[in-house]
Amino acid sequence: MQIWQDLIKYSLIGSERQNAPLNADGDLQAYISQLYPNNTVPTGEAREQALLSAAALAAQYRLAGQQAATFNGTLPAADDAEPLPLLSPLCISHLQRLLSDNELKSILPEWLALAATVKRRVPFASIPPLLELATQNRSIRPAITALIDKRGQWLAAQHPDWQKLLVQTDAILDDVSIWEDGSPAQREEYLRQYREQDAAKARELLQAVWKQEPAATRQSLLSVFSVNLSSEDEAFLNTCLEDRSKGVRQLAATLLGQLPDSAFSQRQKHRLNTWLRFEKGGLLKKAKLIVELPETWDKTWLADGIEEKPPQGKGAKAWWLEQALSVVPPAYWSAHWHTSPDDILTMLKKHEWRDALLMAWRQALQNYPDSDWAETFLTHFNSSEQPLWQLLNAAHAERLAAQLLTNTETSKLSNVLPILNHVQHAWSVDFSKCVINALQRHTQQKLTANEAYAYYYLSDFARHLAPECTDLLSSCLQKPHEYEQITRVIDKMFYTLSFRRDMTNALTNP
């Protein structure tokens, strides 16, 4: 329409340069004329109003003239599966709050996990937002798959962004297109499930396409071999040690390190036993760890992932030691030397090779998690190392955190409380009581403004505290504090914990 060209022109050069009324085609002209009485352009603000009104009329006129799109495809078959019983109205109300309240969204995964165990379904209207969440968070997909029932799975099949999300059943292994044409994440999940069902077949699938995959994909798919890893994988992993990608080579070495009888593991242990020697203590002498490293690099080490040139700022010998030691599970040394992690790490406090040994064993712990070693590391060195806390089992984590809270002076609790954010599991009732008592001690003392401002992180504790401790939290911490910031945080903790208690109770009677 010509009127559009005129509207664009006057919008660009300014309405004050408009010297003639706008003209339109057909029936639209009758409405445009009403904006320009006596066929003249208004002055002042009326001119701008007329121009904007004409633009609105033209836009609506064009929209009204559009024809509806026609569908030429094939409609999907109707979903006629018998649905599961619906969750109770109270449970549904909790779900709606979790989806809409930003203060509560962080506990949605907990609700989903609990709700998935009760063999009920969510309302049909809740299926699309849950599927959207599944696109962003893989960990909640199994629970969502159970809760959306057959209708949700039918709906997911109609949407290109959803149709391959719910890959949780054995039936997906029959859909070869996921392996051949899926996204990297979908192919990794497909191979993971194959490893769970048939590790040998999964290995054959990967070997068949190995050479044509890019480095990043090779590494992500190889990581799946941690599932049902066995000596039958050794031959393939040995070939991966020669891969052109450093990331693939390092991952293959880590996986081979999990196989204690593999040739790779035996070579590394033999090599390290010539470099490290443990001498037991006695009545008159302390135990010692003797480190004797070679003066020169041996090119045969490269096959086992030990590179010659260290990163800038690191000595060559320390670099060789770190690379070799990081692919041997720390538990091996406790068993081999017949001593505890505590005794081993105690020897390092003033050791000449302390930094290299600690760096290597930290990396080894990430490769081969060991709760006893991780707890000892946190006790002897930096208790705030978040990656090490993630390696502790729940009992170890709570015991260590409780010791820190109990043994720390009240005036120094502000240094310890942030560590609790590393304890990510659902806390037991006893540990929750310990935390609440520590919070009470901390808030009752005289705090500085900076300490009060830093208190915001405590609101996250409500995600982990036992819901049974809601009343205890209220009785210990609900008094208004001299700092409004602390009062707000405590109120938020109580709000979240109360909701968790209510949602848990509701799901016991869904």
Side-chain angles (χ1 to χ4, degrees):
M1 294 188 296
Q2 178 59 41
I3 190 173
W4 274 113
Q5 303 302 321
D6 293 338
L7 285 166
I8 293 172
K9 179 178 71 174
Y10 292 128
S11 297
L12 291 174
I13 66 175
S15 61
E16 67 274 5
R17 298 190 181 186
Q18 181 183 356
N19 51 23
L22 294 171
N23 292 302
D25 300 326
D27 296 336
L28 180 60
Q29 180 59 41
Y31 297 97
I32 296 296
S33 297
Q34 296 178 32
L35 302 175
Y36 297 96
N38 302 320
N39 201 32
T40 59
V41 178
T43 59
E45 291 184 1
R47 180 193 292 114
E48 296 176 2
Q49 292 174 357
L51 185 68
L52 292 172
S53 296
L57 283 169
Q60 293 300 316
Y61 183 80
R62 186 164 67 171
L63 287 173
Q66 288 182 344
Q67 293 184 345
T70 57
F71 177 72
N72 297 319
T74 302
L75 288 172
D79 169 41
D80 56 2
E82 185 69 24
L84 287 171
L86 191 63
L87 286 165
S88 70
L90 183 56
C91 291
I92 294 171
S93 172
H94 288 154
L95 173 60
Q96 291 169 342
R97 286 179 62 188
L98 288 165
L99 291 172
S100 60
D101 189 338
N102 288 330
E103 297 287 339
L104 297 173
K105 280 187 177 180
S106 63
I107 59 176
L108 177 60
E110 179 185 5
W111 185 92
L112 291 170
L114 290 171
T117 65
V118 302
K119 306 300 182 183
R120 299 289 185 98
R121 65 172 176 85
V122 298
F124 295 142
S126 298
I127 293 175
L130 287 175
L131 286 171
E132 281 299 315
L133 288 172
T135 66
Q136 305 163 23
N137 186 344
R138 173 183 292 185
S139 67
I140 62 177
R141 291 178 189 174
I144 288 177
T145 300
L147 287 165
I148 63 176
D149 196 25
K150 298 296 184 182
R151 176 65 59 87
Q153 295 172 34
W154 174 88
L155 182 62
Q158 318 309 319
H159 194 296
D161 292 339
W162 298 342
Q163 58 190 208
K164 291 183 179 179
L165 281 178
L166 310 178
V167 287
Q168 305 301 329
T169 64
D170 295 344
I172 85 127
L173 299 181
D174 298 328
D175 186 0
V176 181
S177 66
I178 295 177
W179 174 247
E180 295 175 344
D181 305 317
S183 68
Q186 291 165 349
R187 296 180 70 214
E188 182 181 337
E189 181 65 24
Y190 183 92
L191 191 65
R192 184 182 306 279
Q193 292 198 34
Y194 236 122
R195 287 289 297 185
E196 293 173 353
Q197 300 294 323
D198 189 338
K201 178 64 175 177
R203 185 174 62 251
E204 292 171 8
L205 280 175
L206 184 56
Q207 285 177 301
V209 299
W210 183 256
K211 292 183 179 179
Q212 68 196 45
E213 301 290 352
T217 302
R218 292 199 305 277
Q219 185 173 343
S220 67
L221 293 176
L222 186 63
S223 69
V224 174
F225 275 53
S226 60
V227 177
N228 287 333
L229 182 67
S230 72
S231 59
E232 294 180 1
D233 298 311
E234 182 179 358
F236 175 60
L237 292 174
N238 281 332
T239 65
C240 296
L241 290 174
E242 301 174 0
D243 195 90
R244 58 186 181 275
S245 164
K246 182 177 180 179
V248 171
R249 295 196 302 271
Q250 290 177 334
L251 178 56
T254 300
L255 290 168
L256 284 165
Q258 286 184 245
L259 300 173
D261 296 325
S262 68
F264 172 87
S265 284
Q266 294 300 315
R267 288 194 304 272
Q268 292 287 35
K269 292 170 185 175
H270 176 74
R271 181 179 295 122
L272 285 165
N273 279 317
T274 65
W275 296 359
L276 306 177
R277 191 170 76 255
F278 174 68
E279 291 187 356
K280 285 189 175 183
L283 292 175
L284 301 177
K285 67 174 184 178
K286 293 182 179 179
K288 271 198 298 188
L289 179 60
I290 299 171
V291 179
E292 296 176 340
L293 300 175
E295 295 297 326
T296 58
W297 181 76
D298 187 330
K299 64 181 181 180
T300 62
W301 299 349
L302 190 58
D304 291 333
I306 303 176
E307 299 178 350
E308 178 182 12
K309 301 295 184 182
Q312 187 174 4
K314 188 181 293 290
K317 291 183 179 181
W319 176 233
W320 305 336
L321 177 61
E322 287 178 21
Q323 293 176 91
L325 201 53
S326 67
V327 289
V328 175
Y332 165 77
W333 301 106
S334 307
H336 183 61
W337 291 333
H338 303 289
T339 190
S340 67
D342 185 81
D343 290 338
I344 294 172
L345 294 180
T346 297
M347 292 188 294
L348 300 189
K349 290 194 174 180
K350 295 183 179 179
H351 201 283
E352 176 187 4
W353 293 97
R354 173 185 183 275
D355 292 344
L357 289 165
L358 288 178
M359 181 71 72
W361 271 323
R362 276 193 183 91
Q363 183 57 53
L365 274 175
Q366 295 300 318
N367 294 337
Y368 316 104
D370 185 289
S371 195
D372 290 330
W373 270 78
E375 182 177 6
T376 306
F377 251 97
L378 291 166
T379 302
H380 281 276
F381 301 103
N382 184 0
S383 61
S384 63
E385 284 193 62
Q386 190 266 349
L388 293 180
W389 280 96
Q390 304 312 305
L391 305 180
L392 299 178
N393 61 42
H396 278 187
E398 290 192 0
R399 182 176 68 240
L400 179 56
Q403 288 173 356
L404 289 172
L405 291 174
T406 303
N407 298 335
T408 301
E409 297 177 13
T410 300
S411 61
K412 296 180 180 180
L413 277 173
S414 57
N415 298 324
V416 174
L417 286 171
I419 294 174
L420 298 183
N421 279 319
H422 303 330
V423 185
Q424 293 290 311
H425 65 272
W427 298 346
S428 68
V429 172
D430 287 342
F431 182 62
S432 297
K433 291 178 179 178
C434 178
V435 172
I436 292 172
N437 288 332
L439 290 174
Q440 185 180 33
R441 287 165 50 208
H442 184 50
T443 55
Q444 285 178 346
Q445 67 174 327
K446 186 68 175 177
L447 298 173
T448 66
N450 287 338
E451 287 175 326
Y453 180 76
Y455 216 78
Y456 68 90
Y457 64 83
L458 296 180
S459 61
D460 287 339
F461 290 3
R463 295 167 46 203
H464 309 293
L465 287 166
E468 298 91 330
C469 294
T470 303
D471 293 336
L472 177 64
L473 179 70
S474 175
S475 62
C476 290
L477 299 177
Q478 273 299 90
K479 297 176 182 178
H481 196 274
E482 62 175 312
Y483 288 107
E484 184 182 353
Q485 167 71 10
I486 293 180
T487 300
R488 287 200 303 268
V489 169
I490 292 174
D491 287 342
K492 183 178 178 181
M493 288 177 66
F494 183 70
Y495 172 68
T496 302
L497 192 58
S498 296
F499 182 86
R500 288 182 59 225
R501 177 189 60 187
D502 294 343
M503 78 177 195
T504 302
N505 291 339
L507 285 168
T508 59
N509 297 289

